[in-house]
Amino acid sequence: MSTKILIVEDEIDIREGISEYLSEVGYDVMVAEDGQEGIDLFKLNEFDLVLLDIMLPKINGFGVLSQIREISDVPVMMLTAMTDDYSQIMSFNEKADDYITKPFSVVVLHKRIEALQRRIQGRQQNNKWIYKDVEVDFLGFCAKKDNNPVDLKPKEIKLLELLIKHKNQVLTRNQMLDSLWEIDEAPADRVIDVYIKNLRKKLDLDCITTVKGIGYKFEDK
């Protein structure tokens, strides 16, 4: 299945030039000529990437990006003639993934798109952990064993993620509590023991080791 891209750009020559080139190299492209049309198309379709101008009629690019981020973490690359620091900072503050200034070569744009896709794919892979017959999606807060869903609490998933990030390092109960709970809501430290027990039982894990008198550590066996 080809990558589906939404181009939101009010300058017709730029919009058509990008659309024609990306279509020729194999992308599935849809276009919008103002911010409102861009939002409407985004809500009615599933896209893998959005190319978004900043200076748009009706709703500017920052407004469009803000609305996209309310419902999706799809990669967004800003296209703009504005080269000032403020515009770039605003783009990243609104959680844009990349930024390219006009004028630009469509060939260079294509390469930037490919690089962005590689980064996003790497990020998605890093959000998943596979161990034997277990798969845990830390971003989606879900887990499977033998391809069957396993009911894990969000904090159990976050605890497992924390242990994996500190592979072969012993974490005390207090360190885990400080990482997963706010100070004013932290439960008794023994809740960690309960969560560890649940993780071992529900996922049949043998990679979380008890270090007596200290805490726990993750060992990738």
Side-chain angles (χ1 to χ4, degrees):
M1 184 182 295
S2 61
T3 299
K4 193 167 185 177
I5 297 179
L6 172 63
I7 302 169
V8 189
E9 168 63 65
D10 64 321
E11 295 184 49
I12 186 170
D13 291 342
I14 296 176
R15 185 173 67 245
E16 291 184 351
I18 296 173
S19 176
E20 182 178 345
Y21 179 84
L22 293 181
S23 296
E24 287 178 354
V25 296
Y27 293 100
D28 183 2
V29 178
M30 294 185 72
V31 300
E33 60 185 39
D34 62 61
Q36 186 59 60
E37 184 183 9
I39 291 168
D40 292 342
L41 283 174
F42 186 83
K43 289 180 177 179
L44 292 172
N45 299 272
E46 290 192 8
F47 294 99
D48 301 299
L49 174 69
V50 177
L51 303 180
L52 179 60
D53 188 19
I54 290 179
M55 299 301 291
L56 290 168
K58 298 186 180 179
I59 303 175
N60 69 27
F62 297 136
V64 174
L65 179 56
S66 178
Q67 291 196 44
I68 287 175
R69 284 293 173 255
E70 288 178 2
I71 57 175
S72 173
D73 61 355
V74 65
V76 177
M77 183 185 297
M78 308 303 286
L79 314 177
T80 181
M82 302 168 69
T83 59
D84 59 289
D85 288 348
Y86 174 78
S87 297
Q88 297 188 45
I89 292 169
M90 276 291 293
S91 296
F92 292 119
N93 282 347
E94 291 292 339
K95 299 182 181 177
D97 295 278
D98 204 353
Y99 188 109
I100 188 168
T101 55
K102 304 172 185 176
F104 52 78
S105 157
V106 288
V107 177
V108 171
L109 174 64
H110 182 203
K111 294 301 179 184
R112 293 281 287 269
I113 290 171
E114 290 180 331
L116 178 57
Q117 288 180 301
R118 287 195 297 271
R119 293 204 305 273
I120 296 299
Q121 288 168 357
R123 186 190 309 168
Q124 291 170 340
Q125 290 170 359
N126 290 336
N127 285 325
K128 289 188 177 180
W129 177 66
I130 297 174
Y131 182 79
K132 298 182 179 178
D133 58 355
V134 171
E135 180 179 324
V136 180
D137 182 345
F138 296 118
L139 192 61
F141 284 91
C142 58
K144 292 187 291 186
K145 179 175 172 55
D146 288 325
N147 284 321
N148 295 312
V150 177
D151 183 21
L152 290 180
K153 295 178 180 178
K155 278 291 196 292
E156 290 171 348
I157 291 177
K158 295 296 290 183
L159 176 58
L160 178 60
E161 183 180 24
L162 180 67
L163 287 165
I164 292 170
K165 284 182 177 178
H166 294 83
K167 183 172 67 173
N168 296 322
Q169 177 183 339
V170 181
L171 297 180
T172 67
R173 293 177 180 85
N174 284 335
Q175 284 177 317
M176 289 182 268
L177 287 171
D178 290 344
S179 295
L180 300 178
W181 278 272
E182 298 294 336
I183 294 175
D184 59 352
E185 66 172 8
D189 61 1
R190 289 299 168 181
V191 75
I192 296 295
D193 299 339
V194 176
Y195 283 3
I196 294 291
K197 180 180 178 181
N198 289 343
L199 285 170
R200 286 170 169 165
K201 182 178 180 180
K202 293 177 181 179
L203 300 178
D204 192 24
L205 295 180
D206 60 358
C207 51
I208 300 176
T209 302
T210 301
V211 181
K212 192 173 181 179
I214 302 177
Y216 299 93
K217 69 175 176 178
F218 171 82
E219 296 179 302
D220 196 353
K221 298 181 178 180

